[in-house]
Amino acid sequence: QVQLVQSGGEVKKPGASVRVSCKASGYTFTSYGISWVRQAPGQGPEWVGWINTFNGDTNYAQKNQDRVTMTTDTSTRTAYMDLRSLTSDDTAVYYCARAAFPYHMDVWGKGTTVTVSS
Amino acid sequence: QSALTQPASVSGSPGQSITISCTGTSGDVGSYNLVSWYQQHPGKVPKLMIYEANKRPSGISTRFSGSKSGNTASLTISGLQAEDEAHYYCCSYVAGTTLVLFGGGTKVTVL
């Protein structure tokens, strides 16, 4: 079945960087993009960005576009999200989701908790 | 861009129908039929319930339906059941740098 398996939770200090991975299985990886969505405690989801897994093109939300980088490794069917210069505002559960288009997220990973604390 | 506007809470009795609204602008909801709805139970992963304003993914109950008029999209749950108690978030495509906006979410309570 279609599945997205994310990396484990992370605890980071302010100013550090974090990498979250998302390994896909059960479908042709390059036929769908990957959207990344985060959800701060008690808040609604916030779209972070999208990567076209076929050609590597990316679209990032304006809010964090200077601090985020999304990449993929098609040989291992894995997508990555790097977020730099972390602050406490980045504390959230980060989800990857299969997305043929950035707005159409039909299968979600279980989420990775990123905690930023001094 | 600002988040899409949803009511904070909606409630109904079992068997009733409820409707959740999602109001955007002519730059997002009003210009595209690219509105999705997600259901999220506490501590769980969001689940796609409606896409392209009124289409249901395979496996989603016909009790869930979507519509759109002008700058407002709506999700209707008919025959309300206890398992429908959850948060619901709308989501729309928006032209520009930030391609996707979410609503603030609506908590559905089954009385």
Side-chain angles (χ1 to χ4, degrees):
Chain A
Q1 74 280 23
V2 176
Q3 200 172 4
L4 298 173
V5 178
Q6 297 187 223
S7 48
E10 302 267 10
V11 179
K12 296 292 184 181
K13 293 194 182 302
S17 298
V18 69
R19 164 170 278 199
V20 180
S21 68
C22 170
K23 185 173 177 60
S25 62
Y27 70 98
T28 302
F29 182 65
T30 52
S31 292
Y32 295 82
I34 295 286
S35 268
W36 290 90
V37 174
R38 70 181 184 180
Q39 190 168 25
Q43 303 297 312
E46 177 187 21
W47 184 76
V48 178
W50 177 82
I51 183 165
N52 182 325
T53 57
F54 181 77
N55 60 17
D57 285 350
T58 53
N59 294 97
Y60 302 136
Q62 187 172 16
K63 179 179 177 181
N64 297 308
Q65 63 180 350
D66 295 334
R67 298 192 296 126
V68 66
T69 301
M70 295 175 186
T71 56
T72 62
D73 181 343
T74 54
S75 68
T76 61
R77 307 160 59 87
T78 303
Y80 299 94
M81 185 203 68
D82 294 309
L83 189 61
R84 302 175 291 278
S85 302
L86 293 168
T87 72
S88 58
D89 289 342
D90 296 314
T91 293
V93 177
Y94 287 76
Y95 295 100
C96 64
R98 189 179 77 163
F101 305 98
Y103 48 83
H104 188 127
M105 294 163 275
D106 65 347
V107 178
W108 294 57
K110 292 191 183 303
T112 297
T113 299
V114 174
T115 303
V116 183
S117 173
S118 56
Chain B
Q1 289 98 335
S2 300
L4 306 174
T5 301
Q6 299 181 233
S9 62
V10 172
S11 62
S13 299
Q16 285 187 328
S17 293
I18 61 168
T19 297
I20 304 168
S21 62
C22 170
T23 302
T25 70
S26 58
D28 40 67
V29 175
S31 290
Y32 312 96
N33 277 342
L34 301 176
V35 176
S36 304
W37 288 90
Y38 295 89
Q39 176 193 64
Q40 187 176 33
H41 288 104
K44 300 297 186 182
V45 176
K47 179 181 180 181
L48 179 65
M49 306 300 285
I50 296 288
Y51 68 99
E52 292 178 8
N54 58 15
K55 298 178 181 177
R56 271 185 310 277
S58 174
I60 299 301
S61 171
T62 56
R63 298 187 300 105
F64 292 86
S65 62
S67 63
K68 199 197 83 165
S69 177
N71 295 341
T72 299
S74 299
L75 173 71
T76 297
I77 308 174
S78 57
L80 200 61
Q81 299 179 0
E83 67 204 49
D84 301 332
E85 190 162 287
H87 278 91
Y88 292 82
Y89 297 96
C90 63
C91 171
S92 175
Y93 172 78
V94 54
T97 303
T98 300
L99 299 181
V100 179
L101 281 181
F102 280 94
T106 298
K107 180 175 172 53
V108 168
T109 301
V110 181
L111 302 172

